[in-house]
Amino acid sequence: MIVVIDGPAGSGKSSTAKAVAANLQIQFLDSGALYRVATLVYLNSRKNNRSFFEQLEESEISFYFKKEKFHALLNGQDVTEDIRSMNVSDNVSEVASDPKVRAYINNLMREAVKHDVYIADGRDLGTAVFPNAELKFYMVADLETRAERRYNEIKESDTEVTLEEIKQNIAQRDDKDSNRSSDPLKKADDAIEVNTSDMTFEDQVAFISNVIKDELSKQTNK
Ligand code: DC
């Protein structure tokens, strides 16, 4: 079974999905992290003057979820921290707008979730990647709130970054992610919208967990 949460950058999808996964003891997949790993490959390919896509196809991208943390690996090396750098954030929308990169990452995700119950977060999971997902959520929050959340998340590892820079980065990404021609950020018609601007984190987690629990019990009673 697959549950998806889509929404713009900083809307709280990842942290909520992670907490829900830990709560319900299901698996978690952070699709944005996989696009960020692809972006690391892109940045490396620029350094060594190689074709990006060739290098991507030769790369081994894997992940695991342990102790409420999503770990991303590139060729066996843990790149969980590296993929949160501003350099990656500044380039990821561009990389993720390439249909070849999307097809590659989508395939990786569809294979990965086949054998377990997953909650996955992203931009186009409910519309393009898993259109038949059993449950779909679409999370939104105003720009100010989203920038503050992202700032608090990364300020310890990146002391140079300012709130204003993050706000600009998120606004630019919203624009690129929503207006790209290949699988843009969009609410699926059958997704449940959750506006988290005035919700506490605990409320978000409880609301989504309860909907999933109901669905899980419906599935087992079928
Ligand atoms: O969730 P995030 O901010 O870590 O995502 C990084 C980027 O990846 C985001 O700017 C858009 C892209 N992305 C995407 O295009 N499709 C997804 N399903 C998930 C992320």
Side-chain angles (χ1 to χ4, degrees), residues 10 21 37 54 91 102 105 112 122-123 132-133 140 153 159 169 220:
V37 178
E54 239 175 65
N91 286 279
R102 301 202 73 76
I105 299 290
R123 302 292 191 286
N132 299 322
V140 291
E153 207 176 271
T159 46
N169 174 273
T220 44

Side-chain angles (χ1 to χ4, degrees), residues 67-116:
K67 295 193 178 150
E68 292 200 38
K69 190 159 180 173
F70 183 84
H71 292 262
L73 289 91
L74 174 59
N75 300 325
Q77 203 186 330
D78 195 312
V79 290
T80 308
E81 304 301 327
D82 310 68
I83 60 173
R84 300 288 154 198
S85 72
M86 274 312 268
N87 197 15
V88 169
S89 294
D90 285 341
N91 286 279
V92 64
S93 284
E94 189 73 39
V95 170
S97 64
D98 181 336
K100 266 159 77 181
V101 175
R102 301 202 73 76
Y104 184 85
I105 299 290
N106 288 352
N107 187 40
L108 203 142
M109 292 194 281
R110 290 186 187 120
E111 286 301 314
V113 306
K114 274 184 179 160
H115 305 293
D116 217 332

Side-chain angles (χ1 to χ4, degrees), residues 14-202:
S14 278
S15 43
T16 305
K18 240 181 271 179
V20 169
N23 205 3
L24 302 180
Q25 303 204 332
I26 59 177
Q27 298 297 324
F28 166 62
L29 166 58
D30 178 347
S31 67
L34 302 184
Y35 284 104
R36 287 171 179 272
V37 178
T39 306
L40 272 188
V41 177
Y42 166 74
L43 294 171
N44 289 339
S45 74
R46 278 212 314 206
K47 267 193 233 152
N48 55 27
N49 268 327
R50 286 197 52 206
S51 143
F52 161 48
F53 202 69
E54 239 175 65
Q55 201 162 327
L56 183 64
E57 282 187 314
E58 284 168 14
S59 303
E60 197 197 314
I61 299 178
S62 58
F63 59 86
Y64 66 95
F65 180 57
K66 199 174 170 190
K67 295 193 178 150
E68 292 200 38
K69 190 159 180 173
F70 183 84
H71 292 262
L73 289 91
L74 174 59
N75 300 325
Q77 203 186 330
D78 195 312
V79 290
T80 308
E81 304 301 327
D82 310 68
I83 60 173
R84 300 288 154 198
S85 72
M86 274 312 268
N87 197 15
V88 169
S89 294
D90 285 341
N91 286 279
V92 64
S93 284
E94 189 73 39
V95 170
S97 64
D98 181 336
K100 266 159 77 181
V101 175
R102 301 202 73 76
Y104 184 85
I105 299 290
N106 288 352
N107 187 40
L108 203 142
M109 292 194 281
R110 290 186 187 120
E111 286 301 314
V113 306
K114 274 184 179 160
H115 305 293
D116 217 332
V117 179
Y118 270 88
I119 182 163
D121 85 293
R123 302 292 191 286
D124 60 338
L125 302 187
T127 50
V129 190
F130 300 108
N132 299 322
E134 279 83 354
L135 272 177
K136 299 177 185 176
F137 296 92
Y138 191 78
M139 263 190 162
V140 291
D142 56 54
L143 178 62
E144 197 71 39
T145 312
R146 292 189 282 132
E148 273 168 20
R149 284 179 186 158
R150 199 35 73 88
Y151 179 68
N152 291 332
E153 207 176 271
I154 67 169
K155 72 176 178 208
E156 247 119 79
S157 56
D158 190 344
T159 46
E160 307 265 291
V161 75
T162 66
L163 179 62
E164 195 48 41
E165 276 169 343
I166 293 192
K167 208 163 138 185
Q168 276 174 21
N169 174 273
I170 289 184
Q172 277 164 7
R173 284 203 287 146
D174 280 356
D175 186 50
K176 278 194 190 148
D177 295 343
S178 311
N179 295 309
R180 67 173 176 230
S181 54
S182 188
D183 301 333
L185 164 70
K186 192 168 164 277
K187 177 181 172 298
D189 292 338
D190 51 350
I192 302 167
E193 181 162 319
V194 188
N195 187 331
T196 66
S197 303
D198 298 314
M199 272 172 110
T200 66
F201 183 69
E202 289 70 25

